[in-house]
Amino acid sequence: MQQNEQGVPVFVCCADESSKVTELVLSIYTRRSRVPEAEELKLCSAHTTLEEIELLLRRFFAARRYSRKERLYCLGNVHLLPYVVQCGTVEALRRLEERFGYSDASALVFVSGQQNQMLTNALNQHNLAVSV
């Protein structure tokens, strides 16, 4: 995956059905000839905390400093996150962007199983069409 037109390595995509999120996530990694490592991938649930998400975001923003520029950080099933956690994720992303910028970042993908979620709408300028 290349950085999008704004030079920001953040992407948002939506599976056709919520049951296909995992398949879409694995498809994205397969296209990069990689298998996701535990630190790169978080499949969310209704119980995922903002702290867990922020840890992944921090890894993304610091990847190049630790020779991990080829890593792809992915947050899957974002449609399962409560509204408050989706809002907090967008705020954390913007706060960390202001603090660190993208010079040391690798790539970050948010994958949803439903359209019109707060998080996907807030980041709609990063939409990426990906098919399984």
Side-chain angles (χ1 to χ4, degrees), residues 18-118:
S18 59
S19 62
K20 292 188 176 184
V21 169
T22 303
E23 188 178 348
L24 180 56
V25 167
L26 292 175
S27 172
I28 292 169
Y29 279 97
T30 299
R31 291 171 192 208
R32 294 176 63 101
S33 301
R34 299 203 58 246
V35 174
E37 294 183 25
E39 72 170 24
E40 296 176 78
L41 175 62
K42 178 69 181 168
L43 292 175
C44 301
S45 72
H47 305 290
T48 301
T49 65
L50 187 53
E51 181 181 21
E52 292 172 294
I53 294 169
E54 191 164 330
L55 288 172
L56 185 132
L57 294 177
R58 286 179 175 277
R59 286 186 211 114
F60 154 70
F61 277 104
R64 289 179 186 268
R65 273 186 280 164
Y66 299 101
S67 301
R68 295 182 173 134
K69 67 181 182 179
E70 298 302 321
R71 300 282 173 102
L72 171 65
Y73 294 89
C74 181
L75 205 60
N77 287 326
V78 296
H79 62 283
L80 297 177
L81 295 171
Y83 181 82
V84 172
V85 176
Q86 289 189 34
C87 292
T89 300
V90 172
E91 177 56 35
L93 181 65
R94 292 190 174 142
R95 183 173 29 84
L96 292 169
E97 175 188 3
E98 287 177 12
R99 183 172 176 190
F100 299 114
Y102 291 108
S103 61
D104 288 329
S106 57
L108 175 65
V109 179
F110 294 95
V111 182
S112 179
Q114 294 177 2
Q115 298 281 343
N116 298 317
Q117 295 295 300
M118 184 280 165

